[in-house]
Amino acid sequence: MDALESFVASPAAHDLLAIVKGARNGLVYGVKIRFPHALVMALLFHKGDWKAKATFVLKATKSHALNLMKFVTAYKTLMLLQRKVNGGKERSLDTFVAGALGGYMTFGERTAVNEQIVLYVASRVLASFLPRASPVPPRPSVASGQPAGPIRPVPPAAVPFSLFASVAWGMVMWVFRNRGETLQGGLVNSMSYLYVDSDHWKNLKTLLWHNK
């Protein structure tokens, strides 16, 4: 256990473990967000018996949580890879590239859950260009991660939505990194949990069990 704690605290392992914690935070946040929403929707609108309602809730929660975990993993991995290629330096466009590729790979399929998430992200990007009476408090700096697997082929009919998802995620990641004060406060808090908090831990407990 002492050797494991020492590895977790090692600066040499930080970039790799930041991806691990990012995946953990994505999974946890996806469950926290989707489960209560799906439960309310099932109770109010979903037809069928309790088993069918429970299946609907679990399926929607699983889809949201796993895709968010995959996106955070892909984004942080791609950010790390780009930094490695550029001699340890991060360029402004890196966040857009990582967000766009991550969005295409994980949210490019047009399912009900993915469409809802992509439309939410796109609306927040558009709203970020509207002036705000009181700006959101500045967010902490964000670190990064390393690439995901190859992009799987998408049927021609799905291409427009896949490209829309890609651009939406690329834009929201760029805006978060470069103009975070223009985003809606709730989204900033969510993204800080996923992409900022996952770069910090003190021990094995705060790496895998507790966020802080």
Side-chain angles (χ1 to χ4, degrees):
M1 184 59 72
D2 289 342
L4 187 56
E5 290 285 2
S6 178
F7 173 74
V8 166
S10 170
H14 179 273
D15 288 344
L16 175 62
L17 293 179
I19 298 173
V20 173
K21 183 166 184 181
R24 177 262 178 206
N25 280 15
L27 183 67
V28 171
Y29 189 77
V31 171
K32 286 183 176 180
I33 287 294
R34 178 58 59 173
F35 180 79
H37 176 271
L39 181 61
V40 171
M41 295 298 290
L43 293 176
L44 292 179
F45 304 112
H46 200 272
K47 297 180 180 179
D49 56 18
W50 285 104
K51 184 178 180 180
K53 292 176 189 262
T55 300
F56 167 78
V57 172
L58 292 177
K59 185 177 179 180
T61 301
K62 177 183 177 182
S63 176
H64 192 147
L66 289 181
N67 275 1
L68 193 55
M69 178 184 74
K70 292 174 185 176
F71 176 80
V72 177
T73 301
Y75 173 78
K76 292 177 76 68
T77 299
L78 287 165
M79 287 295 293
L80 177 60
L81 181 65
Q82 288 179 101
R83 284 207 316 275
K84 295 287 187 184
V85 170
N86 292 294
K89 295 180 180 179
E90 181 183 318
R91 302 166 302 178
S92 175
L93 196 60
D94 288 351
T95 52
F96 177 82
V97 172
L101 289 176
Y104 186 87
M105 288 186 287
T106 57
F107 293 103
E109 182 181 359
R110 192 171 189 175
T111 65
V113 172
N114 284 355
E115 184 167 8
Q116 185 182 45
I117 294 171
V118 170
L119 289 176
Y120 171 80
V121 167
S123 69
R124 294 310 187 194
V125 170
L126 291 175
S128 74
F129 292 98
L130 301 175
R132 292 185 178 275
S134 53
V136 176
R139 54 179 179 76
S141 60
V142 188
S144 27
Q146 214 175 35
I151 298 174
R152 56 186 176 80
V154 178
V159 167
F161 180 79
S162 298
L163 295 178
F164 177 60
S166 178
V167 172
W169 276 100
M171 285 297 298
V172 78
M173 298 312 300
W174 184 90
V175 173
F176 175 64
R177 179 64 69 92
N178 296 282
R179 300 176 63 247
E181 70 281 356
T182 65
L183 287 171
Q184 187 261 348
L187 180 60
V188 171
N189 291 336
S190 300
M191 296 181 76
S192 293
Y193 176 83
L194 295 171
Y195 310 106
V196 180
D197 291 356
S198 58
D199 288 325
H200 306 283
W201 58 88
K202 296 179 181 177
N203 48 37
L204 189 61
K205 181 179 179 180
T206 51
L207 174 69
L208 298 177
W209 188 248
H210 288 293
N211 184 46
K212 293 183 180 178

